């Protein structure tokens, strides 16, 4: 009797396993990669970071298997996810999970699995993650335009997810450049990553005003969605990380003066964007404090506190390398402390939800806020 009754429970849990769960992988992997960028050396830190990366690899494999079962056994629900404007942007998380784990393999995972296997794993996951990310960057906005037709009042930072994925490729790819044959292969990969940077940046600049206008004209997001404000930090921190990586890889790959141009870009772009990222961090944190006081409880959106902040850590570390300013060393350490605290909190609540059976669940439906004068009050009240 126990076995028979358990099967429907497991089947129900698998049925609601949405693509948002890849955020767990992203958030875990970035703890390892961001830790490797710290300007301080602590005994045992590399071992701890390698262990965290190994956990992210295990989570990735488990989720890939579970999501495959989801598509084969619950195809109707999977197709429904594609038609749900609140869920489909999370398909960008699959790309970023692959890329985050791949990048971590080369930075810290090699300590455990060896440099050769780490390079192969990174190359495979980079190619797969980039392909998935480009597909999501095209398909998700297309579906939103021709099938979902969301109104302006439904705009949330979640819409940025498929657009940020190519930026993660842009930041991870330059680390593979030195492992290619000199000449055309290296230059092609570096400039391809630069193209991905531009693709993601311009798309983000088109989407971000919609999100900010929604906040200003429609009021605060519903309580469960408030943590997603941290997602805006993703393209900001990741683009700063990317331009720093371009500058690191450009010497001897692209002809002069373009190699020096990448070095200039790392500073002239990274400094102001990091300034805006810190402004948005304060803005988003104020919204979270407000939402918490009004009864915001844990949901999978709390993983938004992890990966975007991790990209700001690596972005600050890149600025530290290219400016030599100690203030960026301090910022890197401070942001990393916040990242670890956020990851521990999200991981603990997620584990509790799995044990209790409250999780997994698909992302909540997109809130529909009427376009009346009362919209501000209703959206601020949560669900």
């Amino acid at each position: 009797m126990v076995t028979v009754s358990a099967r429907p429970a497991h089947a129900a849990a698998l049925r609601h396993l949405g693509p948002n769960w890849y955020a767990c992988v992203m958030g875990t992997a970035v703890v390892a990669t961001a830790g490797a960028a710290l300007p301080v050396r602590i005994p045992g830190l590399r071992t701890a970071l390698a262990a965290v990366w190994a956990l992210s690899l295990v989570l990735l494999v488990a989720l890939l298997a579970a999501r495959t079962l989801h598509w084969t056994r619950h195809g109707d629900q999977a197709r429904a996810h594609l038609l749900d404007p609140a869920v489909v942007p999370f398909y960008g998380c699959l790309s970023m999970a692959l890329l985050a784990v791949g990048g971590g393999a080369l930075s810290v995972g090699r300590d455990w699995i060896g440099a050769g296997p780490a390079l192969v794993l990174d190359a495979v996951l980079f190619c797969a993650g980039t392909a998935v990310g480009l597909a999501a960057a095209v398909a998700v906005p297309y579906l939103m335009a021709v099938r979902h037709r969301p109104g302006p009042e439904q705009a949330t930072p979640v819409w940025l997810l498929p657009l940020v994925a190519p930026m993660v490729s842009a930041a991870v790819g330059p680390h593979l450049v030195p492992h290619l044959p000199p000449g055309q292969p290296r230059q092609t990969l570096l400039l391809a990553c630069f193209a991905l940077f531009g693709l993601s940046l311009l798309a983000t600049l088109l989407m971000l005003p919609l999100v900010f206008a929604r906040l200003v004209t429609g009021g605060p997001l519903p309580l469960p969605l408030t943590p997603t404000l941290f997602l805006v930090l993703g393209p900001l921190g990741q683009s700063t990380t990317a331009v720093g990586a371009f500058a690191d890889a450009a010497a001897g790959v692209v002809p002069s003066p373009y190699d020096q141009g990448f070095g200039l870009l790392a500073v002239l772009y990274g400094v102001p964007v990091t300034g805006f990222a810190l402004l948005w961090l304060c803005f988003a944190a104020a919204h979270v404090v407000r939402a918490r006081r009004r009864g915001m409880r844990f949901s999978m959106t709390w993983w938004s506190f992890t990966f975007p902040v991790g990209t700001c850590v690596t972005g600050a570390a890149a600025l530290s390398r290219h400016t030599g300013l100690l203030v960026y060393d301090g910022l890197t350490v401070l942001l990393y402390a916040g990242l670890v605290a956020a990851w521990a909190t999200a991981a603990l609540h997620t584990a509790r939800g799995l044990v209790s059976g409250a999780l997994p669940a698909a992302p909540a439906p997109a809130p529909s806020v009427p376009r009346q004068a009362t919209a501000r009050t209703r959206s601020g009240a949560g669900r």
Side-chain angles (χ1 to χ4, degrees):
M1 294 294 293
V2 176
T3 302
V4 173
S5 62
R7 287 178 180 173
H10 291 306
L14 184 61
R15 180 173 179 80
H16 295 291
L17 184 70
N20 58 319
W21 274 78
Y22 286 113
C24 300
V25 180
M26 297 161 52
T28 302
V30 80
V31 172
T33 54
L38 289 175
V40 296
R41 295 295 178 262
I42 302 174
L45 178 61
R46 290 282 303 187
T47 301
L49 296 179
V52 173
W53 173 81
L55 175 61
S56 71
L57 178 60
V58 171
L59 291 174
L60 176 63
V61 172
L63 276 173
L64 288 174
R67 287 286 297 162
T68 300
L69 289 175
H70 179 266
W71 270 94
T72 56
R73 297 184 180 181
H74 304 285
D76 60 328
Q77 184 65 28
R79 288 187 291 272
H81 283 169
L82 292 175
L83 300 178
D84 188 340
V87 181
V88 70
F90 285 98
Y91 274 92
C93 291
L94 168 58
S95 168
M96 291 185 280
L98 295 169
L99 294 165
V101 174
L106 206 56
S107 61
V108 296
R110 62 183 180 182
D111 293 352
W112 280 18
I113 65 176
L119 177 60
V120 172
L121 180 61
D122 187 15
V124 171
L125 293 182
F126 172 76
C127 293
T130 300
V132 172
L134 288 173
V138 174
V140 173
Y142 175 81
L143 287 174
M144 293 176 68
V146 303
R147 294 296 298 271
H148 303 153
R149 303 289 180 88
E153 72 281 356
Q154 292 178 299
T156 72
V158 172
W159 288 7
L160 294 172
L161 287 173
L163 306 179
V164 179
M167 187 67 78
V168 181
S169 294
V172 172
H175 299 292
L176 292 170
V177 169
H179 301 281
L180 292 177
Q184 290 278 336
R186 291 186 181 182
Q187 187 172 349
T188 299
L189 177 57
L190 182 60
L191 294 184
C193 290
F194 194 35
L196 291 170
F197 165 84
L199 179 160
S200 179
L201 178 63
L202 295 178
T204 298
L205 291 177
L206 290 175
M207 190 68 73
L208 187 55
L210 299 178
V211 176
F212 188 70
R214 154 68 180 86
L215 291 171
V216 173
T217 61
L221 295 174
L223 298 185
L225 291 179
T226 302
T228 63
L229 288 172
F230 275 72
L231 294 177
V232 176
L233 297 175
L236 303 176
Q238 199 66 273
S239 61
T240 303
T241 303
V243 292
F246 299 154
D248 294 337
V253 175
V254 294
S256 181
Y258 301 113
D259 55 347
Q260 299 175 5
F262 278 117
L264 292 173
L265 181 65
V267 176
L268 297 182
Y269 174 89
V271 171
V273 170
T274 298
F276 179 68
L278 294 176
L279 171 67
W280 191 273
L281 177 62
C282 296
F283 174 77
H287 274 261
V288 169
V289 170
R290 173 190 175 278
R292 190 64 172 162
R293 289 176 176 176
R294 283 161 173 76
M296 181 186 73
R297 297 183 178 182
F298 173 76
S299 66
M300 290 298 291
T301 58
W302 281 34
W303 282 97
S304 302
F305 299 140
T306 57
F307 188 78
V309 175
T311 67
C312 292
V313 174
T314 55
L319 285 176
S320 175
R321 292 195 308 272
H322 292 283
T323 64
L325 295 177
L326 294 177
V327 65
Y328 287 115
D329 286 343
L331 180 60
T332 301
V333 174
L334 182 62
L335 289 173
Y336 188 73
L339 168 63
V340 172
W343 176 82
T345 301
L348 177 61
H349 282 83
T350 302
R352 286 178 176 175
L354 288 171
V355 172
S356 67
L359 295 174
S368 179
V369 183
R371 301 181 188 177
Q372 284 91 12
T374 57
R376 183 179 299 275
T377 303
R378 292 183 181 180
S379 63
R383 294 188 176 214

